Amino acid sequence: MARGASPRRIALDVLDRVLGEARPLDDTFAGHPALVRLEPRDRAFARLLVTTVLRRLGQIDALLDQLVRTRPKAVRVHNLLRLGAAQLLFLETPAHAAVAETVALATGPHGFARGLANAVLRRLARDGKERLAEQDAARLNTPDWLWRSWCDAYGEPIARAIAEAHLLEPPLDLSVKADPDGWAARLGGTHLFGHTVRRPAGGAIEDLPGYVEGAWWVQDAAAALPARLLGDVRGRTVIDLCAAPGGKTAQLAAGGARVFAVELSERRAERLRANL
């Protein structure tokens, strides 16, 4: 991966690995060598760029197919166009910044793509929103095999509702050690159940009250349910397999269990240790 420290270049590198090499998103993003050189706000922007492209990939590719006669053979060029489209269509990035900064990423052996990127993105800046309004977003952003599976299992109305929910940026769910009602008030969130607090998405997690002292950790509400099904775990021994990033391990330990956390991936194990 390239070692430039701009959010857009890091996002492009990550997309190349995730879409071009089928690498897992979380490990690829966290492992980018230039990520540590970004400020928290820029790290958040880089991740938002990547997740927006992935969440809206079907729509973006459908629009690009209308404007480019033949898809670029170079994965990086295709991802560069996707990155620019995401900024213009979904992130409300000013057109001049989205076009200029994205075109500037076409360097080295991919410099030939500058003209293509400039033309396509300027066209999207002019009429991309109109084209977007004509799309079936839920259907386009759901792979065919998954759509068929959902329709067979639940019927098309529920399948469509699931697909539409996937287009939204999820809220931030936290597991707190104690006083969930108090932390919900401090964080501007809602106490869902047990020790789970939900707050709206947005902002740097590191800046939230309680982060530095470890009063809570990020854990999706659904991910917090399995440990709750065990009931009272005080004094019990629990083995947490595939334990990274550590939410269930922390949850069980906070509940008084003796936990053995097992993680095969060395990189994910490092993340587990850091979180704990």
Side-chain angles (χ1 to χ4, degrees):
M1 294 185 287
R3 294 184 176 271
S6 78
R8 289 179 176 86
R9 186 169 299 280
I10 288 175
L12 182 59
D13 288 344
V14 172
L15 287 172
D16 287 349
R17 301 293 291 276
V18 172
L19 295 176
E21 302 175 21
R23 299 293 184 93
L25 169 60
D26 287 342
D27 285 356
T28 304
F29 185 82
H32 194 288
L35 192 66
V36 295
R37 303 209 299 273
L38 292 185
E39 295 296 324
R41 184 181 299 275
D42 286 336
R43 287 200 297 271
F45 180 50
R47 186 173 182 88
L48 178 62
L49 287 169
V50 174
T51 55
T52 301
V53 170
L54 297 179
R55 189 176 287 125
R56 298 282 184 168
L57 187 62
Q59 286 179 277
I60 291 171
D61 280 354
L63 286 177
L64 292 177
D65 286 344
Q66 293 175 9
L67 301 180
V68 181
R69 183 173 301 175
T70 304
R71 284 194 179 187
K73 293 182 179 180
V75 172
R76 191 169 184 85
V77 173
H78 196 184
N79 286 333
L80 185 147
L81 296 177
R82 288 163 165 164
L83 192 64
Q87 295 171 72
L88 291 168
L89 301 174
F90 302 108
L91 297 181
E92 304 299 334
T93 304
H96 67 277
V99 175
E101 295 293 334
T102 303
V103 170
L105 296 176
T107 58
H110 303 103
F112 69 90
R114 286 193 170 211
L116 171 67
N118 184 65
V120 170
L121 296 181
R122 288 187 181 278
R123 180 69 183 274
L124 284 178
R126 287 199 304 271
D127 60 17
K129 290 292 183 69
E130 296 177 9
R131 294 170 181 264
L132 205 65
E134 299 172 355
Q135 291 183 325
D136 183 349
R139 183 64 188 87
L140 281 173
N141 293 304
T142 306
D144 290 340
W145 65 268
L146 188 55
W147 180 265
R148 289 194 299 269
S149 176
W150 284 346
C151 287
D152 290 344
Y154 310 116
E156 184 169 339
I158 294 180
R160 180 168 293 278
I162 296 172
E164 289 173 350
H166 280 179
L167 299 179
L168 304 175
E169 185 179 358
L172 180 65
D173 291 342
L174 311 171
S175 286
V176 302
K177 287 182 180 177
D179 190 20
D181 289 319
W183 278 108
R186 290 186 64 185
L187 295 166
T190 303
H191 179 199
L192 294 185
F193 57 80
H195 285 233
T196 298
V197 170
R198 171 170 289 177
R199 72 180 305 276
I205 293 174
E206 297 89 344
D207 295 337
L208 294 176
Y211 174 82
V212 175
E213 58 266 38
W216 47 261
W217 55 92
V218 177
Q219 184 179 23
D220 188 78
L225 291 175
R228 286 174 56 81
L229 295 177
L230 298 178
D232 187 357
V233 295
R234 284 177 296 181
R236 299 180 67 181
T237 298
V238 183
I239 303 175
D240 183 4
L241 302 176
C242 307
K248 295 182 184 68
T249 296
Q251 183 183 3
L252 291 163
R258 182 179 184 228
V259 188
F260 288 87
V262 182
E263 175 56 54
L264 179 63
S265 166
E266 183 175 343
R267 183 183 296 279
R268 289 177 63 81
E270 291 174 0
R271 186 178 176 195
L272 170 65
R273 293 188 192 96
N275 285 341
L276 292 176

PDB file of all heavy atoms in Angstrom, residues 34-35 84 124 143 198 200 210 220 243 247 264:
ATOM      1  N   ALA A  34       0.253   4.289   7.304  1.00  0.00           N
ATOM      2  CA  ALA A  34       0.208   5.748   7.458  1.00  0.00           C
ATOM      3  C   ALA A  34      -0.909   6.217   8.377  1.00  0.00           C
ATOM      4  O   ALA A  34      -1.021   7.404   8.668  1.00  0.00           O
ATOM      5  CB  ALA A  34       0.054   6.414   6.088  1.00  0.00           C
ATOM      6  N   LEU A  35      -1.734   5.291   8.848  1.00  0.00           N
ATOM      7  CA  LEU A  35      -2.903   5.681   9.641  1.00  0.00           C
ATOM      8  C   LEU A  35      -2.506   6.423  10.916  1.00  0.00           C
ATOM      9  O   LEU A  35      -3.167   7.376  11.327  1.00  0.00           O
ATOM     10  CB  LEU A  35      -3.736   4.448   9.987  1.00  0.00           C
ATOM     11  CG  LEU A  35      -5.128   4.715  10.564  1.00  0.00           C
ATOM     12  CD1 LEU A  35      -6.020   5.377   9.513  1.00  0.00           C
ATOM     13  CD2 LEU A  35      -5.765   3.402  11.024  1.00  0.00           C
ATOM     14  N   GLY A  84     -14.328   9.131  -5.583  1.00  0.00           N
ATOM     15  CA  GLY A  84     -14.810  10.456  -5.945  1.00  0.00           C
ATOM     16  C   GLY A  84     -16.323  10.516  -5.983  1.00  0.00           C
ATOM     17  O   GLY A  84     -16.935  11.494  -5.527  1.00  0.00           O
ATOM     18  N   LEU A 124     -20.588  13.735 -12.876  1.00  0.00           N
ATOM     19  CA  LEU A 124     -21.371  13.365 -11.691  1.00  0.00           C
ATOM     20  C   LEU A 124     -21.717  14.586 -10.848  1.00  0.00           C
ATOM     21  O   LEU A 124     -22.791  14.649 -10.247  1.00  0.00           O
ATOM     22  CB  LEU A 124     -20.595  12.351 -10.841  1.00  0.00           C
ATOM     23  CG  LEU A 124     -20.552  10.920 -11.357  1.00  0.00           C
ATOM     24  CD1 LEU A 124     -19.698  10.055 -10.430  1.00  0.00           C
ATOM     25  CD2 LEU A 124     -21.957  10.332 -11.475  1.00  0.00           C
ATOM     26  N   PRO A 143     -26.259  -7.684  -2.980  1.00  0.00           N
ATOM     27  CA  PRO A 143     -25.873  -8.703  -3.976  1.00  0.00           C
ATOM     28  C   PRO A 143     -27.053  -9.603  -4.335  1.00  0.00           C
ATOM     29  O   PRO A 143     -27.919  -9.877  -3.486  1.00  0.00           O
ATOM     30  CB  PRO A 143     -24.775  -9.493  -3.250  1.00  0.00           C
ATOM     31  CG  PRO A 143     -24.246  -8.559  -2.203  1.00  0.00           C
ATOM     32  CD  PRO A 143     -25.413  -7.728  -1.772  1.00  0.00           C
ATOM     33  N   ARG A 198     -26.976   3.329  23.794  1.00  0.00           N
ATOM     34  CA  ARG A 198     -26.896   3.680  22.370  1.00  0.00           C
ATOM     35  C   ARG A 198     -26.933   5.195  22.221  1.00  0.00           C
ATOM     36  O   ARG A 198     -27.754   5.866  22.824  1.00  0.00           O
ATOM     37  CB  ARG A 198     -28.054   3.062  21.599  1.00  0.00           C
ATOM     38  CG  ARG A 198     -28.174   3.547  20.149  1.00  0.00           C
ATOM     39  CD  ARG A 198     -29.183   2.719  19.364  1.00  0.00           C
ATOM     40  NE  ARG A 198     -28.653   1.376  19.127  1.00  0.00           N
ATOM     41  CZ  ARG A 198     -29.351   0.415  18.511  1.00  0.00           C
ATOM     42  NH1 ARG A 198     -30.586   0.644  18.095  1.00  0.00           N
ATOM     43  NH2 ARG A 198     -28.799  -0.782  18.313  1.00  0.00           N
ATOM     44  N   PRO A 200     -26.293   8.490  19.078  1.00  0.00           N
ATOM     45  CA  PRO A 200     -26.232   8.712  17.630  1.00  0.00           C
ATOM     46  C   PRO A 200     -24.800   8.607  17.118  1.00  0.00           C
ATOM     47  O   PRO A 200     -23.836   8.864  17.840  1.00  0.00           O
ATOM     48  CB  PRO A 200     -26.779  10.136  17.464  1.00  0.00           C
ATOM     49  CG  PRO A 200     -27.537  10.410  18.716  1.00  0.00           C
ATOM     50  CD  PRO A 200     -26.846   9.632  19.796  1.00  0.00           C
ATOM     51  N   GLY A 210     -15.462   9.326  29.377  1.00  0.00           N
ATOM     52  CA  GLY A 210     -15.361   7.934  29.799  1.00  0.00           C
ATOM     53  C   GLY A 210     -14.444   7.074  28.977  1.00  0.00           C
ATOM     54  O   GLY A 210     -14.088   5.960  29.391  1.00  0.00           O
ATOM     55  N   ASP A 220     -21.658  -3.559  19.769  1.00  0.00           N
ATOM     56  CA  ASP A 220     -22.998  -3.526  19.207  1.00  0.00           C
ATOM     57  C   ASP A 220     -23.990  -4.200  20.147  1.00  0.00           C
ATOM     58  O   ASP A 220     -23.663  -5.189  20.825  1.00  0.00           O
ATOM     59  CB  ASP A 220     -22.996  -4.231  17.851  1.00  0.00           C
ATOM     60  CG  ASP A 220     -24.304  -4.056  17.122  1.00  0.00           C
ATOM     61  OD1 ASP A 220     -24.516  -2.973  16.555  1.00  0.00           O
ATOM     62  OD2 ASP A 220     -25.127  -4.986  17.145  1.00  0.00           O
ATOM     63  N   ALA A 243     -12.067 -14.082  19.993  1.00  0.00           N
ATOM     64  CA  ALA A 243     -12.421 -13.082  20.999  1.00  0.00           C
ATOM     65  C   ALA A 243     -12.249 -11.632  20.564  1.00  0.00           C
ATOM     66  O   ALA A 243     -12.882 -10.743  21.137  1.00  0.00           O
ATOM     67  CB  ALA A 243     -11.598 -13.319  22.265  1.00  0.00           C
ATOM     68  N   GLY A 247     -15.050  -7.209  23.018  1.00  0.00           N
ATOM     69  CA  GLY A 247     -16.263  -6.728  23.677  1.00  0.00           C
ATOM     70  C   GLY A 247     -16.875  -7.750  24.618  1.00  0.00           C
ATOM     71  O   GLY A 247     -17.199  -7.438  25.773  1.00  0.00           O
ATOM     72  N   LEU A 264      -7.090 -16.431  17.047  1.00  0.00           N
ATOM     73  CA  LEU A 264      -6.109 -17.026  16.144  1.00  0.00           C
ATOM     74  C   LEU A 264      -5.266 -15.974  15.430  1.00  0.00           C
ATOM     75  O   LEU A 264      -4.062 -16.152  15.246  1.00  0.00           O
ATOM     76  CB  LEU A 264      -6.841 -17.894  15.118  1.00  0.00           C
ATOM     77  CG  LEU A 264      -5.970 -18.595  14.069  1.00  0.00           C
ATOM     78  CD1 LEU A 264      -5.025 -19.586  14.732  1.00  0.00           C
ATOM     79  CD2 LEU A 264      -6.837 -19.301  13.045  1.00  0.00           C
TER      80      LEU A 264
END
